[in-house]
Amino acid sequence: MQKTFFIKTFGCQMNERDSEIMAQSLGSEGYVETMEMEGADLVILNTCSIRAKAEQKVMSLLGYLRKQKQKYPAMKICVAGCVAQQEGDRIVARMPHVDLVIGTQNIYGIGKYLNIKNGAAGKVVTSLADSYVIPKFLPDVKQKEKKEDTEGGFSRFVTIMQGCNNYCSYCVVPYTRGREVSRKISDIAEEVKILVQSGVKEITLLGQNVNSYGKTNPVASGDEKYNFSRLLRVVAETSGLERLRFTTSNPKDLDDELIDCFGTIDNLCPQFHLPVQAGSDSVLKRMNRKYSVKEYLGKVDRLRERCPEIALTTDIIVGFPGESDADFQQTMDLLETVRYHGSFSFKYSDRPGTRASGFGDKIEESVKSERLARFQKRQDEISLERNREYVGTCKKVMIEKCSEKETRGRTDTNHIVHFENVLSCGPGDIVHARITFAGQHSLKGEVVTP
Ligand code: 5AD
Ligand code: SF4
């Protein structure tokens, strides 16, 4: 009988793509994916350690798996991803029921490492090279369609780079994902082409800081060097690609060439996730972000000049060490100035090995909670006001799900639109919709003929 594997992904879209890579790799070793953790021959946790909470979730699931393993002694447990990279040997020392710990750069070899393991003592594979070539790994075009509750294979992620060189003082990523390495442009273009030829309509390019694509490991094609804007133009030209998105960006590397891509590349979606983290220059300095609020706002203005309909979102950390009431008020002021369409906001948490974890002047949990609640309340109000601006307008909506229970899709600005009546359409179809209602987190629409 074929062996089954279950994979649970925590954290970011990079991890989602890495899970697809592991799934594909295991498929070629004869494993089949199951959606049930209970009773699977192999359980993989692809983990995230960006905040303490993310890591705690992994640890508690591992505790649960200890009991599962008593019930199913043949079950193998693998911890992959950022917690695996960060904790390495400590995981097997603390949790002997874990069979394999596999780091962020080692996922491509998962099948191989499982065979080596053979059910004996735990195995830890967490080598992290400073410079390496990201393996060419052609996508499995059928992969998404196999999943239950399918949203179709019309939208896929393509990783363009790994790692990060920025060393923001709060961030664990440079330690868990290593130095920045860009993929070869020809590999990226080939991957996108294969996906689009198989019916994919939307591609999201992924990297920890896509704006610095090609900077550290210049990726030559012939004699040409590419930066992110040039890569965007190459990918956008893939025949049949309807929508192109990317994430995530560090504002310090957002240049005019990239800003000019908006409004000039037809299929580049008018949305930008531009994490600011804080609205106070002194906090930004201690975060090692390398831009000021004024510079950030200048870039926001230029983006909006180029592309007035662009929807901006951001990430915010509240309660960074030493953040005063006045500093936090500046974050609230920035929110009023930019009026983001949406944001992700977090309480600062210490991460192992980061500079900020050694800073004094830590903020009390209760103060962090109060600041977070204030920020989120105001953001929710602004998101609703922003969403109301769409009511009465017509938008192209790419359908994500179309069933008796639910029909919904997404605008190019990345807003979810729900439809009340079942439509005769399928995932990936584009319909023209009039927006009829705005909620805080989504819109409602009705289909109109263009
Ligand atoms: N504490 C809280 N939030 C963090 N982030 C990254 N590191 C930390 C930390 N130590 C947030 C940032 C980042 C997002 C992915 O997670 O806002 O942009
Ligand atoms: Fe989490 Fe960051 Fe690792 Fe993604 S790269 S899984 S967000 S720690």
Side-chain angles (χ1 to χ4, degrees):
M1 220 174 61
Q2 274 183 313
K3 292 204 164 171
T4 56
F5 71 94
F6 171 86
I7 191 160
K8 175 147 178 80
T9 309
F10 298 82
C12 63
Q13 293 156 329
M14 295 283 288
N15 256 21
E16 281 184 45
R17 176 66 194 132
D18 286 352
S19 289
E20 286 178 4
I21 288 169
M22 284 190 277
Q24 190 175 334
S25 177
L26 288 167
S28 56
E29 299 282 330
Y31 281 83
V32 249
E33 189 165 5
T34 162
M35 299 298 144
E36 293 284 322
M37 180 158 78
E38 174 112 16
D41 295 305
L42 167 66
V43 173
I44 303 157
L45 306 186
N46 193 12
T47 61
C48 170
S49 71
I50 194 82
R51 288 169 294 275
K53 231 181 178 172
E55 196 177 326
Q56 282 151 15
K57 277 194 213 159
V58 174
M59 295 306 172
S60 69
L61 189 51
L62 279 172
Y64 169 78
L65 282 171
R66 187 198 310 263
K67 289 184 210 120
Q68 284 286 302
K69 203 161 171 169
Q70 283 159 2
K71 207 165 149 193
Y72 304 100
M75 174 192 265
K76 282 187 184 176
I77 298 170
C78 167
V79 181
C82 289
V83 176
Q85 190 66 51
Q86 181 187 292
E87 296 298 313
D89 292 320
R90 286 193 292 269
I91 296 182
V92 274
R94 269 177 62 193
M95 310 208 194
H97 61 291
V98 172
D99 298 278
L100 177 65
V101 175
I102 190 169
T104 50
Q105 281 181 13
N106 311 104
I107 55 163
Y108 293 88
I110 185 166
K112 188 173 78 189
Y113 303 129
L114 279 166
N115 288 341
I116 294 173
K117 228 308 277 104
N118 241 353
K123 179 110 200 141
V124 179
V125 192
T126 51
S127 55
L128 197 62
D130 275 358
S131 175
Y132 70 109
V133 176
I134 300 175
K136 180 168 167 167
F137 196 84
L138 294 179
D140 176 0
V141 293
K142 292 263 168 268
Q143 205 161 32
K144 274 261 171 104
E145 290 159 24
K146 282 188 251 158
K147 302 239 175 193
E148 244 175 45
D149 187 27
T150 179
E151 291 180 357
F154 70 90
S155 180
R156 296 287 291 263
F157 298 131
V158 172
T159 302
I160 64 164
M161 58 202 294
Q162 292 273 14
C164 182
N165 286 354
N166 288 328
Y167 289 98
C168 300
S169 62
Y170 52 80
C171 188
V172 79
V173 171
Y175 310 99
T176 59
R177 295 250 175 201
R179 298 288 61 70
E180 212 169 272
V181 177
S182 300
R183 279 183 75 193
K184 276 164 59 182
I185 181 108
S186 50
D187 287 358
I188 298 169
E190 187 180 359
E191 187 167 325
V192 171
K193 196 169 160 202
I194 290 172
L195 289 169
V196 175
Q197 279 175 350
S198 78
V200 170
K201 305 271 178 63
E202 178 180 85
I203 294 284
T204 304
L205 301 179
L206 297 179
Q208 250 75 40
N209 178 19
V210 293
N211 297 175
S212 60
Y213 172 80
K215 273 193 189 162
T216 33
N217 276 26
V219 271
S221 162
D223 288 322
E224 275 189 292
K225 299 257 161 52
Y226 282 81
N227 62 14
F228 183 57
S229 311
R230 308 247 334 251
L231 173 73
L232 266 186
R233 290 187 188 276
V234 168
V235 171
E237 274 166 20
T238 312
S239 166
L241 179 64
E242 299 269 358
R243 287 181 172 184
L244 178 58
R245 305 182 194 272
F246 58 84
T247 195
T248 192
S249 304
N250 186 320
K252 79 176 168 60
D253 296 313
L254 169 56
D255 56 14
D256 286 341
E257 196 183 341
L258 179 54
I259 292 175
D260 284 342
C261 290
F262 288 92
T264 56
I265 300 180
D266 282 350
N267 49 5
L268 180 63
C269 290
Q271 65 139 126
F272 207 125
H273 185 63
L274 196 56
V276 66
Q277 311 298 359
S280 144
D281 282 339
S282 75
V283 172
L284 287 175
K285 196 158 193 334
R286 279 178 292 119
M287 286 179 164
N288 195 30
R289 291 292 284 177
K290 302 196 180 94
Y291 53 82
S292 65
V293 173
K294 191 165 171 231
E295 282 159 351
Y296 180 89
L297 289 175
K299 293 184 184 192
V300 166
D301 284 347
R302 288 208 292 285
L303 275 168
R304 286 181 168 158
E305 263 164 41
R306 269 272 163 260
C307 181
E309 75 271 30
I310 201 162
L312 297 180
T313 52
T314 201
D315 289 344
I316 295 285
I317 297 176
V318 302
F320 185 78
E323 184 189 66
S324 64
D325 285 341
D327 288 323
F328 175 66
Q329 186 53 47
Q330 288 182 306
T331 298
M332 294 299 289
D333 294 345
L334 179 85
L335 175 60
E336 295 303 331
T337 308
V338 181
R339 291 175 56 78
Y340 293 100
H341 283 75
S343 63
F344 300 96
S345 45
F346 313 98
K347 289 192 261 186
Y348 167 80
S349 65
D350 277 340
R351 303 313 296 133
T354 60
R355 273 210 295 132
S357 67
F359 289 178
D361 232 355
K362 295 276 159 61
I363 305 297
E364 291 234 351
E365 203 50 36
S366 59
V367 175
K368 285 193 231 172
S369 300
E370 188 269 330
R371 288 181 185 166
L372 187 69
R374 254 179 78 196
F375 181 87
Q376 291 182 338
K377 179 167 178 288
R378 186 63 193 127
Q379 174 66 70
D380 281 350
E381 289 164 2
I382 292 172
S383 297
L384 183 59
E385 287 159 18
R386 282 283 190 197
N387 283 351
R388 285 188 177 138
E389 291 168 13
Y390 293 111
V391 174
T393 65
C394 282
K395 294 269 158 216
K396 278 193 200 166
V397 178
M398 189 177 279
I399 298 296
E400 291 188 347
K401 189 163 189 172
C402 188
S403 73
E404 290 281 317
K405 271 200 247 153
E406 187 189 6
T407 300
R408 64 171 153 77
R410 219 173 264 269
T411 62
D412 54 1
T413 48
N414 214 21
H415 289 80
I416 292 175
V417 181
H418 292 279
F419 295 94
E420 253 147 34
N421 301 323
V422 182
L423 308 172
S424 52
C425 58
D429 288 349
I430 290 186
V431 298
H432 291 257
R434 179 177 299 109
I435 305 304
T436 54
F437 174 83
Q440 228 158 52
H441 302 295
S442 64
L443 306 169
K444 281 186 188 167
E446 60 190 19
V447 173
V448 291
T449 26

